[in-house]
Amino acid sequence: MSQHQLLDSLNHRDLRVRTDSAAELGDGVMACLLMPTEFRQAQAHFPILFRRDQASGAFSALALFGFDNGENLFLEGGHWDAGYKPLAQAVQPFLIGRSADGQPGGQVHVDLDSPRILRGGPENMDGEALFDAAGKPSPYLDLIAQRLGDLDAAYRASADFFAALVRHDLLEPFTIDVPLIDGSNNSLVGFHIVNEDRLQALDADALADLHGAGHLMPLFMAVASVAQFSELVARKNRRIAGG
């Protein structure tokens, strides 16, 4: 369950937020939404996959953290064991809201039922404060607002990127079987990756179209990210070996 509210200093001044990483705090997920603007940072750590929504047919991108539902191989002893944390994961328990009167711009909403939420005011020094004693936003809340704005802008811009991938037929279904050191196998099905042969075969006009729209760089980053599968498998095997 979730309880989303518009964040304000009057009703939420005593809230603090846990910023460590743990499965019980919402980080126990095998993948999370990833924006094309993040591909450059993410490709050094995670495989980037694409998924088609069965109802709408629209594509989205994901950073892959594990092979099973609820498995995040980047959780290590209460910290995030990667040099980058995707925005969709990093902003929790906050989300972007919209004004009821249709005013432009986003609002900072908070999920009060999130396990990251702590209460108790100034005497509780755990977690990060959202407001100071005068009700002014804390540096942490300013950072969250910036991240939410970046995520919102990236999401709005991403539709053109995914439309270009469909227009140039650059995605193909992807299935992988991963044999592990304990003799078991993990299978990934239902995802897509960039078809490198089709990407390399694009003519000058298609390349100019993609380059002019700023889509070539994230495409190349998505292709490069496939190399991270070997490291993800190694993480899985280390987890198995360690018990």
Side-chain angles (χ1 to χ4, degrees):
M1 295 294 292
S2 59
Q3 184 188 167
H4 297 170
Q5 289 187 10
L6 173 64
L7 188 69
D8 68 70
S9 61
L10 179 62
N11 295 304
H12 306 122
R13 188 176 300 190
D14 68 334
L15 295 187
R16 301 179 75 92
V17 175
R18 288 186 59 178
T19 58
D20 50 326
S21 297
E24 61 270 21
L25 296 178
D27 291 318
V29 292
M30 69 174 287
C32 85
L33 194 67
L34 189 70
M35 298 298 113
T37 54
E38 300 179 88
F39 285 10
R40 187 165 190 166
Q41 300 100 313
Q43 61 84 28
H45 307 282
F46 321 110
I48 298 171
L49 302 178
F50 299 87
R51 181 174 58 190
R52 186 198 293 269
D53 182 79
Q54 295 300 314
S56 68
F59 280 101
S60 59
L62 302 169
L64 187 68
F65 304 145
F67 297 104
D68 298 309
N69 287 333
E71 177 182 69
N72 187 338
L73 297 170
F74 294 91
L75 289 180
E76 295 288 348
H79 75 278
W80 187 264
D81 189 34
Y84 184 72
K85 193 172 190 179
L87 285 173
Q89 203 69 22
V91 299
Q92 293 185 12
F94 302 94
L95 60 158
I96 303 160
R98 302 295 173 192
S99 171
D101 59 8
Q103 291 295 314
Q107 301 172 329
V108 178
H109 285 219
V110 61
D111 178 8
L112 295 179
D113 285 340
S114 168
R116 291 188 175 277
I117 294 295
L118 302 172
R119 300 176 187 272
E123 66 277 8
N124 183 355
M125 298 309 294
D126 294 330
E128 294 285 345
L130 299 182
F131 300 96
D132 64 19
K136 300 293 186 182
S138 68
Y140 170 70
L141 182 53
D142 286 338
L143 175 62
I144 288 296
Q146 177 183 331
R147 286 175 173 171
L148 286 171
D150 291 344
L151 181 61
D152 188 34
Y155 177 78
R156 291 171 179 272
S158 67
D160 287 342
F161 174 76
F162 294 117
L165 267 58
V166 172
R167 183 166 66 251
H168 296 290
D169 193 24
L170 290 174
L171 295 178
E172 63 176 346
F174 173 74
T175 301
I176 186 173
D177 290 316
V178 181
L180 301 169
I181 59 172
D182 63 354
S184 65
N185 280 275
N186 278 156
S187 296
L188 281 177
V189 298
F191 297 101
H192 289 69
I193 59 172
V194 176
N195 185 310
E196 293 186 49
D197 292 336
R198 293 178 198 157
L199 179 59
Q200 292 176 359
L202 290 176
D203 60 27
D205 289 340
L207 289 172
D209 173 45
L210 292 168
H211 176 68
H215 299 327
L216 271 185
M217 178 63 76
L219 267 172
F220 291 146
M221 294 299 101
V223 170
S225 77
V226 175
Q228 298 302 328
F229 268 109
S230 59
E231 174 56 25
L232 198 62
V233 172
R235 283 178 177 269
K236 178 74 171 183
N237 280 328
R238 289 197 295 270
R239 190 71 58 91
I240 292 172

